[in-house]
Amino acid sequence: TQKTGREVDDLELLRQKLGLEPLSVDYSTKFSLSEVETELKKLSELLKGIYLSRKKEFMSEWMSGDEVLCYLKISTGTFRTWRGNGTLPYSKIEHKFYFRKEDVEKLLKKNYNGAAKR
């Protein structure tokens, strides 16, 4: 199938990031099935590694509800109130809530007194 310009650019960028040589195919070369299978396994492992590193990077920006409770040391009731009244923004997937670490930190900074009262 013919690739669009955008797809070609994306593939070229990925190739450069991975430090791979440009792909050139010599159709006169014959490969055994085991050689093709070996190369496909290598490619699969490489793609899996890329996926897992991006997933880890993405999830490092988010916290579960349990993590927020432990981090802020608040009760479940306070947590539900803040979530319900918009004090603590969230993302919900089915029955699971996720919170951006940045939003939790903003909440702390916004309410920082600055001077301890004695």
Side-chain angles (χ1 to χ4, degrees), residues 4 18 32 53 68 73 88 92 116:
T4 66
L18 297 175
S32 71
S53 69
V68 173
K73 296 181 174 74
L88 194 54
K92 182 179 178 186

Side-chain angles (χ1 to χ4, degrees), residues 1-60:
T1 61
Q2 188 69 23
K3 299 212 180 305
T4 66
R6 170 90 175 148
E7 289 173 318
V8 170
D9 289 345
D10 289 346
L11 288 173
E12 177 62 19
L13 183 61
L14 179 61
R15 184 193 63 75
Q16 289 174 1
K17 282 185 176 183
L18 297 175
L20 301 175
E21 294 298 319
L23 181 63
S24 61
V25 178
D26 178 4
Y27 291 102
S28 66
T29 304
K30 300 205 187 253
F31 297 98
S32 71
L33 185 57
S34 66
E35 289 173 316
V36 171
E37 188 176 71
T38 300
E39 292 304 311
L40 286 174
K41 283 181 182 178
K42 287 180 188 176
L43 180 59
S44 175
E45 288 301 312
L46 178 65
L47 292 173
K48 182 178 176 182
I50 292 169
Y51 167 75
L52 291 175
S53 69
R54 291 292 297 141
K55 180 180 177 184
K56 183 178 179 181
E57 180 182 321
F58 175 77
M59 288 309 293
S60 70

Side-chain angles (χ1 to χ4, degrees), residues 54-113:
R54 291 292 297 141
K55 180 180 177 184
K56 183 178 179 181
E57 180 182 321
F58 175 77
M59 288 309 293
S60 70
E61 299 172 19
W62 294 85
M63 300 172 77
S64 70
D66 290 337
E67 290 172 320
V68 173
L69 281 168
C70 290
Y71 182 71
L72 295 176
K73 296 181 174 74
I74 57 175
S75 70
T76 305
T78 300
F79 175 69
R80 286 186 183 143
T81 299
W82 289 359
R83 189 182 68 208
N85 69 15
T87 300
L88 194 54
Y90 62 88
S91 177
K92 182 179 178 186
I93 302 173
E94 293 186 15
H95 301 289
K96 183 87 173 162
F97 292 90
Y98 296 95
F99 304 83
R100 288 180 31 201
K101 287 182 181 178
E102 179 182 323
D103 291 334
V104 174
E105 290 169 3
K106 279 182 187 176
L107 178 64
L108 289 172
K109 288 177 184 177
K110 177 182 171 186
N111 291 284
Y112 180 62
N113 180 327

